[in-house]
Amino acid sequence: MADFQISLEILAFSLLCTFIALGLLLRERWVSRRIKAKLVTVSEEKDALSLYDANTGLLSRNGIETALRHWIERADGEGSAFCALFLNIDEFHSQNQAFGQAFGDRLLQLTGQRLESWLPDGSDLGCVNDGEFVVLLSGNSSVGLDAARQLLQKLAVPLAHEHGSTVLTCSMGVAVYPEHGARSRLLVNASIAARQVSRQGGGDFCLYDPQMSADLREQTLLVADLRQAIDKGQLELYFQPKVDAKTLHITAAEALLRWHHPERGHVSPAIFIPLAERNGLISAIGNWVIDEACRVAGHWRELGLRMRVAVNISGYQMRQEDLVERIESALSRHHLQPGRFTCEITESVAMEDTKGTQQTFERMRAMGLHVSIDDFGTGYSSLATLRRLPASELKVDRAFVSDLADSEDARSIAASIIGLAKALNFKVVAEGVETEQQSQLLMRMGCDELQGFLFSRPIPAAEMERLALAAPSETSGPGFSDSLFNATVVAELAELVDLPKR
């Protein structure tokens, strides 16, 4: 009997343990399901939040991609078309840097509100990046272009904010589905069109063209090759002489960059210099130009050709704190005096009232560099600013030189520029001189030096050296003491570079 009682107790205890274990298991499964359900809810909420931009409340990039999928499904089903407008606020990052992140966020909010107030029913609007918006709307290319035109007008009204007001300009690209690409390419192609507008100054819109993608691929390949051009020895400096307007002796030479691509041949600076500026290569290329110009000038000095060499300095370089130190280092390395190195700086860059640019000018003054204001007459110079600059030379832009023979207005403008320069004690150089008549007119106006195809095209350093050493020796003539190619005359110069005499 006692054994039976013990067995019952053991059985009861086992059953109790079993029920407890089962209860714990059921509770664990219940808790696990609750956690999974909560995680699903949180994930869904997170996904929903990811569809919207936290700052503007508009669709985010994920939201636009989701909307785009629905637009394509509907267009495919109905056989219809729709447009994607890619809108980029011009100079947004500059304004963001100038006034701070909070200002940039507020500017995006105000822009988004203005775009949303215009948005047609059934359309979608998203803020896909800082300063970048996308609009999806029904219709063909005509509808898209008309919408872009309306948006430009809408955004042209000044935006009021705590710092005053801002007039926005935008670069817009329009792409049409299915004409301009499938889902994976439509927004990309619209952005390519917007980038094309931005490169041409912004404040406009254009329809995507497949050639734009081809151009972009071409530019991408060029940039990749340009990154290696210095190391592979593909860059070379050519030199174009400047001559004294009265004696026609060579007084200086401007260094001009050339790129000899192994497959493409000669690549124009008008193509690769903007690419270098946009892709962070201009600093390395600019450093190479400065050092190479000094190396060539140092070599000429060893041959007794003590001439001044001019190098173009970009706005980007002017804003670099160590520009003057790098020039000083190159001059020292090649045993040249600062006064024999000319920094040619465009009028628009010279007029920049930025702290970095003005500090660079002051360092140039302290070092004793020769400074020339290039392309003069094309900008909006302040006389007060001109007087403060450490410049000693103005270069009259070729646009005023080319029409001298036929236009009284061109002659009046050129005479005014030369008169202004003389009043400020600047030497005057005219570039783009191609005819004898232009040369004579400029000389009578009081121009000091001339540069252009009449005298020589840009030529390699070795050819310039050969030209100088072959020239006859003379010891007289106005400005001869500054001419470091002893009395090289224009007739011989034209003969040596195989140019027709005019």
Side-chain angles (χ1 to χ4, degrees), residues 85 118 137 140-153 174 205:
L85 276 67
W118 165 88
L137 73 163
N140 56 21
S141 59
S142 297
V143 173
L145 292 173
D146 185 58
R149 189 177 296 106
Q150 292 178 35
L151 285 175
L152 277 184
Q153 295 172 353
V174 180
F205 59 89

PDB file of all heavy atoms in Angstrom, residues 85 118 137 140-153 174 205:
ATOM      1  N   LEU A  85      10.710  64.597 -64.074  1.00  0.00           N
ATOM      2  CA  LEU A  85      11.453  65.861 -64.056  1.00  0.00           C
ATOM      3  C   LEU A  85      12.449  65.805 -62.910  1.00  0.00           C
ATOM      4  O   LEU A  85      12.064  65.578 -61.755  1.00  0.00           O
ATOM      5  CB  LEU A  85      10.517  67.055 -63.854  1.00  0.00           C
ATOM      6  CG  LEU A  85       9.817  67.652 -65.074  1.00  0.00           C
ATOM      7  CD1 LEU A  85       8.812  66.651 -65.641  1.00  0.00           C
ATOM      8  CD2 LEU A  85       9.107  68.950 -64.711  1.00  0.00           C
ATOM      9  N   TRP A 118       2.206  73.756 -56.604  1.00  0.00           N
ATOM     10  CA  TRP A 118       2.021  73.736 -58.056  1.00  0.00           C
ATOM     11  C   TRP A 118       1.597  72.367 -58.551  1.00  0.00           C
ATOM     12  O   TRP A 118       0.957  72.225 -59.583  1.00  0.00           O
ATOM     13  CB  TRP A 118       3.346  74.122 -58.726  1.00  0.00           C
ATOM     14  CG  TRP A 118       3.396  73.785 -60.194  1.00  0.00           C
ATOM     15  CD1 TRP A 118       2.980  74.558 -61.236  1.00  0.00           C
ATOM     16  CD2 TRP A 118       3.865  72.553 -60.766  1.00  0.00           C
ATOM     17  NE1 TRP A 118       3.163  73.888 -62.433  1.00  0.00           N
ATOM     18  CE2 TRP A 118       3.705  72.664 -62.173  1.00  0.00           C
ATOM     19  CE3 TRP A 118       4.397  71.382 -60.240  1.00  0.00           C
ATOM     20  CZ2 TRP A 118       4.072  71.637 -63.041  1.00  0.00           C
ATOM     21  CZ3 TRP A 118       4.757  70.361 -61.097  1.00  0.00           C
ATOM     22  CH2 TRP A 118       4.594  70.495 -62.487  1.00  0.00           C
ATOM     23  N   LEU A 137       4.797  62.921 -63.477  1.00  0.00           N
ATOM     24  CA  LEU A 137       3.476  63.365 -63.911  1.00  0.00           C
ATOM     25  C   LEU A 137       3.124  62.768 -65.258  1.00  0.00           C
ATOM     26  O   LEU A 137       4.009  62.441 -66.055  1.00  0.00           O
ATOM     27  CB  LEU A 137       3.394  64.893 -63.974  1.00  0.00           C
ATOM     28  CG  LEU A 137       4.108  65.635 -65.094  1.00  0.00           C
ATOM     29  CD1 LEU A 137       3.557  67.046 -65.208  1.00  0.00           C
ATOM     30  CD2 LEU A 137       5.608  65.703 -64.847  1.00  0.00           C
ATOM     31  N   ASN A 140       3.329  63.408 -72.265  1.00  0.00           N
ATOM     32  CA  ASN A 140       4.480  63.217 -73.142  1.00  0.00           C
ATOM     33  C   ASN A 140       5.523  64.304 -72.920  1.00  0.00           C
ATOM     34  O   ASN A 140       5.440  65.079 -71.952  1.00  0.00           O
ATOM     35  CB  ASN A 140       4.031  63.175 -74.603  1.00  0.00           C
ATOM     36  CG  ASN A 140       3.243  64.430 -74.987  1.00  0.00           C
ATOM     37  OD1 ASN A 140       3.348  65.468 -74.329  1.00  0.00           O
ATOM     38  ND2 ASN A 140       2.448  64.327 -76.037  1.00  0.00           N
ATOM     39  N   SER A 141       6.487  64.408 -73.836  1.00  0.00           N
ATOM     40  CA  SER A 141       7.581  65.369 -73.665  1.00  0.00           C
ATOM     41  C   SER A 141       7.091  66.808 -73.663  1.00  0.00           C
ATOM     42  O   SER A 141       7.633  67.654 -72.934  1.00  0.00           O
ATOM     43  CB  SER A 141       8.625  65.165 -74.774  1.00  0.00           C
ATOM     44  OG  SER A 141       8.048  65.330 -76.051  1.00  0.00           O
ATOM     45  N   SER A 142       6.063  67.114 -74.441  1.00  0.00           N
ATOM     46  CA  SER A 142       5.531  68.485 -74.469  1.00  0.00           C
ATOM     47  C   SER A 142       4.987  68.876 -73.101  1.00  0.00           C
ATOM     48  O   SER A 142       5.197  70.003 -72.632  1.00  0.00           O
ATOM     49  CB  SER A 142       4.432  68.609 -75.530  1.00  0.00           C
ATOM     50  OG  SER A 142       4.951  68.363 -76.814  1.00  0.00           O
ATOM     51  N   VAL A 143       4.296  67.929 -72.464  1.00  0.00           N
ATOM     52  CA  VAL A 143       3.765  68.183 -71.119  1.00  0.00           C
ATOM     53  C   VAL A 143       4.911  68.400 -70.134  1.00  0.00           C
ATOM     54  O   VAL A 143       4.877  69.315 -69.292  1.00  0.00           O
ATOM     55  CB  VAL A 143       2.880  67.006 -70.662  1.00  0.00           C
ATOM     56  CG1 VAL A 143       2.464  67.182 -69.200  1.00  0.00           C
ATOM     57  CG2 VAL A 143       1.656  66.890 -71.555  1.00  0.00           C
ATOM     58  N   GLY A 144       5.944  67.559 -70.245  1.00  0.00           N
ATOM     59  CA  GLY A 144       7.085  67.675 -69.335  1.00  0.00           C
ATOM     60  C   GLY A 144       7.820  68.998 -69.489  1.00  0.00           C
ATOM     61  O   GLY A 144       8.195  69.635 -68.499  1.00  0.00           O
ATOM     62  N   LEU A 145       8.046  69.420 -70.723  1.00  0.00           N
ATOM     63  CA  LEU A 145       8.753  70.679 -70.959  1.00  0.00           C
ATOM     64  C   LEU A 145       7.929  71.871 -70.507  1.00  0.00           C
ATOM     65  O   LEU A 145       8.460  72.852 -69.961  1.00  0.00           O
ATOM     66  CB  LEU A 145       9.107  70.810 -72.443  1.00  0.00           C
ATOM     67  CG  LEU A 145      10.150  69.807 -72.957  1.00  0.00           C
ATOM     68  CD1 LEU A 145      10.302  69.919 -74.475  1.00  0.00           C
ATOM     69  CD2 LEU A 145      11.497  70.028 -72.275  1.00  0.00           C
ATOM     70  N   ASP A 146       6.604  71.812 -70.720  1.00  0.00           N
ATOM     71  CA  ASP A 146       5.735  72.892 -70.257  1.00  0.00           C
ATOM     72  C   ASP A 146       5.735  72.963 -68.732  1.00  0.00           C
ATOM     73  O   ASP A 146       5.751  74.050 -68.145  1.00  0.00           O
ATOM     74  CB  ASP A 146       4.317  72.678 -70.783  1.00  0.00           C
ATOM     75  CG  ASP A 146       3.389  73.837 -70.440  1.00  0.00           C
ATOM     76  OD1 ASP A 146       3.705  74.976 -70.846  1.00  0.00           O
ATOM     77  OD2 ASP A 146       2.381  73.609 -69.749  1.00  0.00           O
ATOM     78  N   ALA A 147       5.754  71.794 -68.079  1.00  0.00           N
ATOM     79  CA  ALA A 147       5.813  71.756 -66.616  1.00  0.00           C
ATOM     80  C   ALA A 147       7.119  72.360 -66.113  1.00  0.00           C
ATOM     81  O   ALA A 147       7.136  73.115 -65.135  1.00  0.00           O
ATOM     82  CB  ALA A 147       5.669  70.315 -66.133  1.00  0.00           C
ATOM     83  N   ALA A 148       8.218  72.036 -66.785  1.00  0.00           N
ATOM     84  CA  ALA A 148       9.522  72.596 -66.389  1.00  0.00           C
ATOM     85  C   ALA A 148       9.514  74.113 -66.526  1.00  0.00           C
ATOM     86  O   ALA A 148      10.050  74.831 -65.668  1.00  0.00           O
ATOM     87  CB  ALA A 148      10.621  71.986 -67.261  1.00  0.00           C
ATOM     88  N   ARG A 149       8.903  74.602 -67.590  1.00  0.00           N
ATOM     89  CA  ARG A 149       8.809  76.050 -67.806  1.00  0.00           C
ATOM     90  C   ARG A 149       8.004  76.712 -66.680  1.00  0.00           C
ATOM     91  O   ARG A 149       8.397  77.756 -66.147  1.00  0.00           O
ATOM     92  CB  ARG A 149       8.169  76.326 -69.163  1.00  0.00           C
ATOM     93  CG  ARG A 149       8.215  77.785 -69.591  1.00  0.00           C
ATOM     94  CD  ARG A 149       7.618  77.953 -70.979  1.00  0.00           C
ATOM     95  NE  ARG A 149       8.399  77.247 -71.993  1.00  0.00           N
ATOM     96  CZ  ARG A 149       8.012  76.115 -72.587  1.00  0.00           C
ATOM     97  NH1 ARG A 149       6.850  75.555 -72.271  1.00  0.00           N
ATOM     98  NH2 ARG A 149       8.777  75.541 -73.498  1.00  0.00           N
ATOM     99  N   GLN A 150       6.911  76.086 -66.290  1.00  0.00           N
ATOM    100  CA  GLN A 150       6.092  76.626 -65.200  1.00  0.00           C
ATOM    101  C   GLN A 150       6.850  76.619 -63.872  1.00  0.00           C
ATOM    102  O   GLN A 150       6.762  77.563 -63.076  1.00  0.00           O
ATOM    103  CB  GLN A 150       4.811  75.810 -65.064  1.00  0.00           C
ATOM    104  CG  GLN A 150       3.847  75.947 -66.228  1.00  0.00           C
ATOM    105  CD  GLN A 150       2.619  75.066 -66.037  1.00  0.00           C
ATOM    106  OE1 GLN A 150       2.136  74.877 -64.918  1.00  0.00           O
ATOM    107  NE2 GLN A 150       2.117  74.507 -67.139  1.00  0.00           N
ATOM    108  N   LEU A 151       7.597  75.550 -63.634  1.00  0.00           N
ATOM    109  CA  LEU A 151       8.352  75.448 -62.382  1.00  0.00           C
ATOM    110  C   LEU A 151       9.430  76.525 -62.293  1.00  0.00           C
ATOM    111  O   LEU A 151       9.668  77.087 -61.220  1.00  0.00           O
ATOM    112  CB  LEU A 151       8.980  74.058 -62.262  1.00  0.00           C
ATOM    113  CG  LEU A 151       8.016  72.935 -61.893  1.00  0.00           C
ATOM    114  CD1 LEU A 151       8.722  71.592 -61.918  1.00  0.00           C
ATOM    115  CD2 LEU A 151       7.411  73.186 -60.519  1.00  0.00           C
ATOM    116  N   LEU A 152      10.094  76.795 -63.410  1.00  0.00           N
ATOM    117  CA  LEU A 152      11.095  77.871 -63.399  1.00  0.00           C
ATOM    118  C   LEU A 152      10.464  79.193 -62.999  1.00  0.00           C
ATOM    119  O   LEU A 152      11.030  79.959 -62.208  1.00  0.00           O
ATOM    120  CB  LEU A 152      11.740  77.997 -64.783  1.00  0.00           C
ATOM    121  CG  LEU A 152      12.884  77.044 -65.129  1.00  0.00           C
ATOM    122  CD1 LEU A 152      13.454  77.388 -66.503  1.00  0.00           C
ATOM    123  CD2 LEU A 152      13.997  77.096 -64.084  1.00  0.00           C
ATOM    124  N   GLN A 153       9.295  79.486 -63.553  1.00  0.00           N
ATOM    125  CA  GLN A 153       8.605  80.729 -63.209  1.00  0.00           C
ATOM    126  C   GLN A 153       8.150  80.721 -61.756  1.00  0.00           C
ATOM    127  O   GLN A 153       8.234  81.742 -61.067  1.00  0.00           O
ATOM    128  CB  GLN A 153       7.409  80.910 -64.142  1.00  0.00           C
ATOM    129  CG  GLN A 153       7.789  81.098 -65.607  1.00  0.00           C
ATOM    130  CD  GLN A 153       6.585  81.086 -66.529  1.00  0.00           C
ATOM    131  OE1 GLN A 153       5.457  80.804 -66.108  1.00  0.00           O
ATOM    132  NE2 GLN A 153       6.813  81.370 -67.805  1.00  0.00           N
ATOM    133  N   VAL A 174      14.302  66.646 -68.263  1.00  0.00           N
ATOM    134  CA  VAL A 174      13.035  65.944 -68.482  1.00  0.00           C
ATOM    135  C   VAL A 174      13.315  64.654 -69.238  1.00  0.00           C
ATOM    136  O   VAL A 174      13.969  64.667 -70.289  1.00  0.00           O
ATOM    137  CB  VAL A 174      12.049  66.817 -69.291  1.00  0.00           C
ATOM    138  CG1 VAL A 174      10.734  66.063 -69.511  1.00  0.00           C
ATOM    139  CG2 VAL A 174      11.805  68.151 -68.593  1.00  0.00           C
ATOM    140  N   PHE A 205      16.070  74.431 -68.584  1.00  0.00           N
ATOM    141  CA  PHE A 205      15.665  73.031 -68.620  1.00  0.00           C
ATOM    142  C   PHE A 205      15.927  72.477 -70.009  1.00  0.00           C
ATOM    143  O   PHE A 205      16.074  73.224 -70.986  1.00  0.00           O
ATOM    144  CB  PHE A 205      14.187  72.881 -68.260  1.00  0.00           C
ATOM    145  CG  PHE A 205      13.260  73.627 -69.174  1.00  0.00           C
ATOM    146  CD1 PHE A 205      12.749  73.047 -70.322  1.00  0.00           C
ATOM    147  CD2 PHE A 205      12.900  74.944 -68.884  1.00  0.00           C
ATOM    148  CE1 PHE A 205      11.899  73.739 -71.164  1.00  0.00           C
ATOM    149  CE2 PHE A 205      12.045  75.644 -69.721  1.00  0.00           C
ATOM    150  CZ  PHE A 205      11.546  75.044 -70.869  1.00  0.00           C
TER     151      PHE A 205
END
